[in-house]
Amino acid sequence: MLSIFKIFLGLGCVSFGGPAAHIGYFRTAFVSRLNWLSEKEYAQLVALSQFLPGPASSQIGFALGYRKGGLPGAIAAFLGFTLPSIALMLLLAFVAQQLTNSLYFHNVVHGLKLLAVVVVADATWGMFSKFCTSKLTSLLCFATASALLISPSVHTQIYVLVAAAFIGGIWLKEESVLLNTTKVKGSSIFPLLLFCLLLLGLPLIPMGAYTAIFNDFFQAGSLVFGGGHVALPLLQNIVGEQLSQNSFLTGYAAAQAVPGPMFTFATYLGYELLPSSPILGALLATIAIFLPGFLLILAALPHWQQLSHNAKLVGIINGVNAAVVGLLLSALYTPISTSAIHHITDVVFLFILFFLFKSMKLPIGWLVSLVIVSSIVLTLMS
């Protein structure tokens, strides 16, 4: 287990760039270098992560650890890949409270918000190109975005996702072309029962501060398809007025800046939401948002070969994925763009960042460093 932990810890320290980049890092490490599994088997795990709610890249890492060392190996993989990001988000949450009146800090945060516009815009376009390839899926995307802009709430999100799933199950059915995979041993009953029990049972119990945080973030992790970027609108509606928009977006910008899974945004939010016990709040939120995806992948792994050939299920996921792009599109406008773009100089800076990110292919880590240094220099010059 220690060897699995060390491998994933190394990846967690350098994996900038979001879920798509993480998938590339994993392929290089486990298919090309370590030969843990074949290219075809890895493609199956990637496909499975796209079919389930939760953090896609973390689910792939969890599944890789499970294949190699069972449940202890899966937990070791998760801890190794996620701990660097959790530590950095905790540090930033602590520092943010100490520097709230610093002009340097505010300008750096503003710069990171502009970088968030670039990253989310790129993610939105990439997902639109992948998931909205027909008139119907495009319609689902734009209808979802319109509904959320008109009535932004958790209930609206749930309604549009359910409607998209219903439409997809009827009109977007297609046969999967996935290849056969090696069967993974394990029990699917217990993780599925635990997931259902927590999802349906938690809202029924009396809510204290701790249970409320765990429930809110578990519900978020159960509803988010498409990875960390898509968690933004759902988490924003869950947090509501408990946290200022500036504080919320500071955490989101920080999640862009650190390596590892973007779902550790929950670490920052949990820290802020429970000021009496910030470390406990951060840990509860982090565990709760990752847990649903891991329980579902444990339940699905033994049966994925059969599930991947269910035409109706593929249609449901097609519909949900299109709606997810709409969720991201609405979030790109508000709160991301509306809170970041205030002056024409912000637009010029965005153009520069887009050029460096898309044309020059500058890595996210370099862009983060550039934004921080530029913000400090501009503050000194002002």
Side-chain angles (χ1 to χ4, degrees):
M1 300 309 105
L2 184 60
S3 62
I4 294 175
F5 175 81
K6 287 180 178 179
I7 293 169
F8 278 92
L9 181 64
L11 288 168
C13 290
V14 299
S15 293
F16 291 93
H22 300 166
I23 291 171
Y25 288 126
F26 286 161
R27 180 192 169 278
T28 300
F30 300 110
V31 178
S32 301
R33 182 163 58 87
L34 297 174
N35 294 314
W36 278 18
L37 70 174
S38 69
E39 194 81 59
K40 295 176 182 178
E41 290 172 327
Y42 182 68
Q44 284 279 27
L45 292 183
V46 173
L48 176 58
S49 73
Q50 302 300 320
F51 270 65
L52 298 173
S57 59
S58 294
Q59 286 174 309
I60 295 170
F62 188 82
L64 287 166
Y66 186 80
R67 286 173 57 100
K68 189 68 174 177
L71 186 56
I75 295 172
F78 164 67
L79 291 175
F81 187 61
T82 313
L83 278 178
S85 181
I86 291 175
L88 288 170
M89 293 300 286
L90 282 173
L91 178 63
L92 186 119
F94 175 75
V95 171
Q97 290 184 344
Q98 311 303 314
L99 299 178
T100 51
N101 296 320
S102 168
L103 182 60
Y104 291 98
F105 178 75
H106 283 289
N107 285 343
V108 167
V109 168
H110 180 66
L112 291 174
K113 287 180 183 178
L114 290 171
L115 179 58
V117 175
V118 174
V119 174
V120 175
D122 180 66
T124 303
W125 175 248
M127 292 177 68
F128 182 86
S129 301
K130 180 178 180 181
F131 295 129
C132 303
T133 55
S134 67
K135 292 180 180 179
L136 180 54
T137 50
S138 297
L139 176 62
L140 287 174
C141 167
F142 291 117
T144 298
S146 300
L148 285 166
L149 289 173
I150 294 170
S151 177
S153 70
V154 175
H155 292 99
T156 303
Q157 292 183 43
I158 294 173
Y159 295 151
V160 295
L161 286 174
V162 170
F166 179 77
I167 292 170
I170 297 176
W171 288 291
L172 294 173
K173 292 186 292 187
E174 61 181 59
E175 294 296 337
S176 171
V177 295
L178 295 175
L179 300 169
N180 290 338
T181 184
T182 303
K183 188 174 181 181
V184 178
K185 295 181 180 179
S187 172
S188 61
I189 300 299
F190 177 73
L192 185 60
L193 285 177
L194 183 57
F195 169 79
C196 294
L197 179 63
L198 291 173
L199 181 66
L200 302 176
L202 279 174
L204 302 179
I205 66 175
M207 287 292 168
Y210 302 137
T211 51
I213 284 182
F214 190 90
N215 175 66
D216 287 345
F217 284 90
F218 188 89
Q219 302 293 323
S222 302
L223 293 173
V224 171
F225 287 82
H229 294 291
V230 186
L232 174 66
L234 186 58
L235 289 175
Q236 184 196 18
N237 286 322
I238 285 175
V239 170
E241 297 180 356
Q242 300 177 71
L243 207 61
S244 70
Q245 188 178 80
N246 188 64
S247 182
F248 181 88
L249 288 169
T250 297
Y252 184 69
Q256 306 285 338
V258 302
M262 286 184 58
F263 266 48
T264 53
F265 181 29
T267 305
Y268 178 93
L269 295 178
Y271 187 100
E272 295 283 342
L273 290 172
L274 199 63
S276 60
S277 304
I279 300 297
L280 180 57
L283 294 178
L284 282 173
T286 304
I287 293 169
I289 201 168
F290 279 100
L291 186 58
F294 292 163
L295 290 174
L296 288 174
I297 207 161
L298 285 175
L301 271 174
H303 308 290
W304 176 231
Q305 184 175 343
Q306 290 77 20
L307 288 173
S308 64
H309 290 284
N310 186 309
K312 186 171 184 178
L313 177 62
V314 173
I316 289 172
I317 298 302
N318 286 339
V320 170
N321 282 340
V324 159
V325 181
L327 294 181
L328 199 55
L329 182 60
S330 68
L332 176 61
Y333 173 71
T334 180
I336 296 174
S337 295
T338 55
S339 69
I341 303 173
H342 304 299
H343 306 287
I344 191 65
T345 52
D346 294 332
V347 178
V348 173
F349 193 51
L350 274 178
F351 288 161
I352 295 171
L353 290 175
F354 267 113
F355 171 75
L356 294 174
F357 184 58
K358 295 298 293 179
S359 298
M360 300 301 293
K361 307 296 183 183
L362 205 63
I364 286 291
W366 284 96
L367 282 174
V368 170
S369 301
L370 176 64
V371 166
I372 293 173
V373 171
S374 301
S375 300
I376 293 174
V377 169
L378 290 173
T379 305
L380 288 170
M381 293 174 60
S382 62

